[in-house]
Amino acid sequence: MTTDHTSTNPREMATAYDPQVVEQPLYEWWETNGHFKPSKPGAPPFTIIMPPPNLTGELHLGHALTVSIEDALTRWHRMLGDDTLWLPGVDHAAIAVNAIIERDLAKEALSRHDIGREAFLERTWEFVKRSRSRITEQHRRLGASADWSREAFTMDEARERSVRATFKRLYDDGLIYRADRLINWCVDCESAISDIEVEYEDEPGAFWWVSYEIADAQGRRTGEAITIATTRPETIPADAAVAVNPEDDRWKHLIGQHCIVPAGGRLVPIIADAAVSIEGGSGALKVTPGHDPVDFEIGERHGLPTISIMRPDGTLNDEAGPYAGLERFEARKKIVADLEAAGRLVKIEPYTHSIGHCQRSRTIVEPLISLQWWVDAKTLAKPAIAKVEDGSIKFVPPRFERVYLHWMENIRDWCISRQIWWGHRIPVWYCANGEHITVRGTVGDPEQCGVCGSTDLRQDPDTLDTWFSSGLWPHSTLGWPEDSEDLRRFYPTQVMETGYDIIFFWVARMIMLSLYNMDGVVPFETVYLHGLVRAADGAKMSKSRGNVIDPLQSVAKYGTDGLRFAMISGTSPGNDQRLTDDKLEAGRNLSNKLWNASRFALTMVEDGDDLTLPAAGTGALEDRWILSRLAAVTRDSDRLWRQYELAEVLRQVRDFFWDEFADWYIELAKVRVRAGDHGPIAVLVHVVDQVLRLLHPFMPYVTEEIWQRLATVHPDADGAPALIVARYPSLDAARIDEDAERMMLAVQDFIRGVRNIRAEKRVDAGRFVECYIVGAEAADAARALAPAIEQLARVQPLHVVASADEAPSEGVVTAVLAVGQVILPMAGLFDPAAERERISKQIAEVEAEVGRQEAKLSNEQFTARAPAAVVAKEQERLATARGRLDGLRASLAELG
Ligand SMILES: [Zn+2]
Ligand SMILES: [Zn+2]
């Protein structure tokens, strides 16, 4: 690092903490000294694999939350003495990156097909390199103590080995297959997408009722007609049949006859199928196996042809006859118009229905028949269900276990091929024979067909779903399929921390694929799911709303620690959170308060001071108290860490530091030090040291920066060179001192009681007043801390008495507290004449207000016309004013 801590004179701590000066050099210093790497081969391992951010560009607040939580867990375990590894990486984000490059090309009026696969991939790699270094840089700015020497990328060669090996194993086991199926097609991405990439939304649409003429097998019209209802008239040219229920008396007699498809004129059979509902619509169903999943099944049952009339870009093909070349929704308009002109359109019935959209491009998804590669997810799901049911993998919060299990029990086969170029190319080669398939499980191309030996090989043009490679992440990052040292040391990992929104996309697939590749050993023991970070008003952050907060801007304004404080203090497992300026400011304020309190403690230390703590149970009351409170907070935070209640750990430590240590202990210590007592200095330094340790996982920079200075006067007992590798505080049960805590509570109560009376009676702040403290139980505490009470409450002389009989009873103000009473003689406390004048003035003001309200409410024009709620509000205002008036008059009477 740029400044040498060992030569820093602690008495020269800057008056204010400046994160911009401290953070980057400190990060480099940690990294250069190897503190991010696991280095305790004898200790139990603790591993988190970082969810790889998409290489689409900048980090957002979701990443800042991920870093804040995972880095906190990592730093905590490192300080517990575990052999800690947080392994970072990035994801190639196939469809998303592909879309970005295509958008860029479109600006030059080019498509990917214009420039070809090779040039397209060259451009993509350039983009990916740029955004990869940017993302790594941003992670470093957020203080991520990840081991960058092990950084992985879903598209690097090591991960390619994992992908190929997995594909081959699954293929050989019959768990990957190629089949013609109806898939979700995105005409914008020009690719198949999986079921979970489709998002459904209600949209207004219509039922078009269309009448089909009945004909005999030769196509001669019989004069009869049958009516169907469809929401997608553009698919009519692909009809392969009309189906009716065999029990439907309206249409029974037509079964076995034919009808003429009114767009395109195809002659199709009328078939009977029990799946057709008698109640819904007309009772007759057009069957279009090439464009609808239900119809596809009916088609399979009846051996109907699967006619596909759409091209990958959403325009109709030659099978659509006169409509060939039209875009799908243009075709819809044209077909409806033609039906109407031909008298075949019976009616149009408006209808709102749920329509699937591509998650990426928002385009309406088209069910299309297509030859794709599939993973038999049902088979892989079985062990993945069992490992969650038997508790080998736990969810935090546990309610997500049900969500996971429900989905896994109903899982459908996973379409893994994508018709885009950016991604892992499917490791399958076809020879000229056309039927032979050669699958390669290692890097490189095969030389000949595995079946016939032909050297005329062509690789499958498609790529794998991006989640295929990220599904291998917990073991591919550690070196699988190699039997690597990392894999043996760090697998299974302890925690997978990610957003609940990708539990199906990612968590489920990691569990399935890891169990499969790693012989049934779970990839992680705990799945911690965080929520979304929303704007202050609760809205989802999005570019289109313009309410996105850039984490790096917050870092510039509040410091990394300030941002991390805000992220952690709002988080609770599985729930969304709002980011407000208040939380960011609270984080920055805490950094400053830590700095200032530590600076005070350090300036107190003089050469030759003995910084040994008094033995447990001995020493001054306030020392025993603060050390007891510290022990209690240490004990509670340990329990809360283990329950993943990070926000609560932070809150308790912050409250202890601010409300007890800074507000009380430091003030009490000042009184003693001023009187020449150096006793509190060891305690001050010790508590600062422990608070820095407790807070380090959340606010790494400010705590390390202070700790380095503290270490010059108070070296670490274990010889740790840095806070990042120092011991996390553990409970010192002997310090728990209930007597001291009870007595200190009493003292705090007394001081607050006096302060309240002083404020109420407007006693000049600098003035000392006489005071009686009453209460047998509290007397010891009051006597022990008499000088502090005198200073902090500005009381003198202070009488500590056993019962109220020993205090004056006339002309006094009394505060009754839980542990006793404080009694202040009023004489000389304030000036009765000035007080009388002040109260009289207030009475006049409130009387005027009462008068105004009474006049308003007796005005019938107002009470009759104004809404009832407004009138009620005015009545309430009058009642409040009358109450205040009574109180003020009573106070005046008391003054005599
Ligand atoms: Zn799309
Ligand atoms: Zn062959």
Side-chain angles (χ1 to χ4, degrees), residues 856-868 871:
K856 191 182 252 178
L857 285 163
S858 62
N859 178 353
E860 274 176 28
Q861 285 210 324
F862 170 73
T863 48
R865 280 188 198 165
V871 175

Side-chain angles (χ1 to χ4, degrees), residues 95 186-190 193 358-363:
I95 282 196
C186 174
V187 301
D188 214 39
C189 301
E190 286 203 30
I193 57 177
C358 168
Q359 194 194 35
R360 297 275 170 210
S361 63
R362 313 303 313 159
T363 326

Side-chain angles (χ1 to χ4, degrees), residues 97 116 153 169 235 258 272 296 312 322 354 419 451 456 484 594 603 702 746:
V97 166
F153 174 34
R169 285 163 60 97
T235 64
H258 289 74
F296 182 76
S354 169
Q419 288 64 50
V451 184
D456 180 12
S484 69
L594 280 168
T603 49
V702 67

